[in-house]
Amino acid sequence: MTRLSVWTAALLLAATAAHAQSGAERPRARDVGVVVGILPPGPLDAITDVAGVRVGHATVVEGDSVRTGVTALLPHGGNVYREPVPAAIVVGNGYGKLLGVTQVRELGEIETPILLTCTLCVWTAADALVDLLLAAPGMEEVRSINPVVGETNDGFLNDIRRRPIRPEHVAEALAAASGGAVAEGAVGAGTGTVAFGWKGGIGTSSRAVPPALGGGTVGVLVQSNFGGVLTVNGAPVGRELGPFAFQSGLGESADGSIMIVVATDAALDARLLERLASRALAGLARTGASLTNGSGDYVIAFSTARSGEPLVPNSAMSPLFQAVAEATEEAVYNSLFRATTVAGHRGTVEALPLDRVLEVLDAYGVRGWDRSLPPGGDR
């Protein structure tokens, strides 16, 4: 492997400095020349590029052993119970605790905000969400509600048996939900997560399908907490950096979980959203994940399109499939690139060493180029 080039070092320094000035500590993947796929991102390269979608975090750090949080996603700014959105859920591997799945599958819609949190906090978060929704104006006669709450196990950095999430944390995440740029890395539900043996967290990305290919925006947000052998833009980063899963023993650093939330403004019903959600797993696989035995891998997809819009035909779905695969892949990278080193309950998890990662990417020639289609779709 060659030494870090002057160009590489300068680019990383500039990107890091720019983010430091904005209050962030580490760059996103695209900031340092990691361009994923061929479709252009939305203006924010985030799930909030889908109009109306809002994201909020509550980060919970207490003493030296609590490192967890809540991330809330709202499909729109209204009452989601009164204005549910078409939705689907795909299970890549069912080793997890995703609440609300059967009603979403039965009715093909989501009627609450989506919450992400830690494994043993799912029920507390769901109970708090239900309390808040039932107390809202216009909900006085509601006697059934289906909260959708997903999780990953952050039990290395977080003393998960304390079940530290409280109702006020759910309220904080919901109150903080907004459009615009989304905080990534060790924040919210990603505060205590680990991915590929490095610090994982929250990551997001988006793709704008050019009008010539049918149009529409697809946004993805991930809570990364899984294992495997990290691949970045096709380069074998995990193999080069080591250690990696299975290197010393079967299952080592391989199990974990990921929650993937997909939003789109394309007019898709539950059946089409299920097709879209399944393609997010293609993007996950490109990062080096193998959906191991103890990994809970779930995709929740919803559409914000107005009721009555003509549905996208099956024959026009392929560009959206490409979009969701690319956005999922980049969202995972952003969750790693933006995450910082965290010390917690059972030890310390180091942030992905970006200088070494960029050396690998340059050695394999997968950085610093962009052949994305223009937004209008014309070459």
Side-chain angles (χ1 to χ4, degrees):
M1 187 181 302
T2 61
R3 289 187 176 183
L4 192 66
S5 68
V6 174
W7 180 83
T8 295
L11 186 56
L12 177 60
L13 181 63
T16 303
H19 277 265
Q21 290 175 359
S22 65
E25 296 182 12
R26 284 162 59 94
R28 306 181 82 198
R30 197 167 284 258
D31 294 334
V32 289
V34 181
V35 177
V36 175
I38 52 88
L39 295 175
L44 297 169
D45 194 15
I47 195 170
T48 47
D49 283 321
V50 179
V53 174
R54 303 179 180 191
V55 177
H57 302 296
T59 300
V60 183
V61 175
E62 297 173 357
D64 58 5
S65 61
V66 172
R67 305 288 185 272
T68 192
V70 178
T71 295
L73 295 101
L74 283 64
H76 55 71
N79 184 326
V80 185
Y81 182 84
R82 297 299 183 192
E83 301 176 72
V85 294
I89 292 175
V90 165
V91 180
N93 191 57
Y95 193 92
K97 295 140 192 75
L98 175 58
L99 293 190
V101 60
T102 58
Q103 184 172 309
V104 173
R105 284 182 163 176
E106 183 69 22
L107 301 184
E109 59 188 23
I110 284 177
E111 64 183 24
T112 72
I114 299 165
L115 299 183
L116 306 178
T117 188
C118 70
T119 297
L120 295 184
C121 300
V122 165
W123 303 278
T124 301
D127 195 46
L129 177 60
V130 169
D131 279 347
L132 289 167
L133 294 177
L134 292 180
M139 300 287 283
E140 292 81 7
E141 298 301 319
V142 173
R143 289 180 171 81
S144 175
I145 198 164
N146 186 49
V148 176
V149 184
E151 53 79 27
T152 68
N153 192 315
D154 54 15
F156 182 81
L157 289 171
N158 178 44
D159 186 359
I160 200 168
R161 288 176 60 88
R162 288 176 55 181
R163 304 179 71 186
I165 293 300
R166 299 185 294 274
E168 57 263 34
H169 299 139
V170 173
E172 178 184 345
L174 291 167
S178 65
V182 177
E184 296 172 296
V187 64
T191 301
T193 63
V194 182
F196 297 107
W198 306 101
K199 184 67 189 74
I202 298 297
T204 189
S205 184
S206 71
R207 290 296 183 272
V209 177
L213 297 176
T217 299
V218 176
V220 172
L221 183 140
V222 303
Q223 176 193 19
S224 66
N225 190 58
F226 61 98
V229 184
L230 177 60
T231 298
V232 177
N233 232 13
V237 171
R239 191 181 69 193
E240 293 282 0
L241 296 186
F244 49 81
F246 311 116
Q247 187 174 17
S248 301
L250 185 63
E252 179 190 0
S253 301
D255 285 341
S257 299
I258 185 170
M259 292 299 309
I260 303 170
V261 180
V262 177
T264 184
D265 57 9
L268 307 183
D269 62 6
R271 181 185 65 81
L272 293 170
L273 285 164
E274 184 174 358
R275 299 189 71 203
L276 184 71
S278 67
R279 271 61 175 191
L281 297 174
L284 176 62
R286 293 173 188 171
T287 71
S290 54
L291 286 71
T292 54
N293 176 70
S295 187
D297 309 305
Y298 298 91
V299 187
I300 306 170
F302 63 86
S303 171
T304 64
R306 292 183 178 181
S307 177
E309 288 188 33
L311 293 180
V312 175
N314 288 319
S315 59
M317 287 294 294
S318 291
L320 295 171
F321 293 161
Q322 179 75 22
V324 75
E326 290 185 10
T328 301
E329 181 182 2
E330 187 171 336
V332 171
Y333 299 153
N334 283 334
S335 76
L336 288 157
F337 276 54
R338 295 284 288 121
T340 53
T341 298
V342 173
H345 182 49
R346 297 184 177 181
T348 298
V349 178
E350 299 290 333
L352 188 69
L354 295 185
D355 54 349
R356 296 172 61 199
V357 170
L358 297 185
E359 285 183 333
V360 174
L361 300 185
D362 287 341
Y364 283 86
V366 298
R367 191 169 71 98
W369 58 269
D370 184 353
R371 296 180 181 175
S372 299
L373 298 173
D378 299 322
R379 298 302 291 176

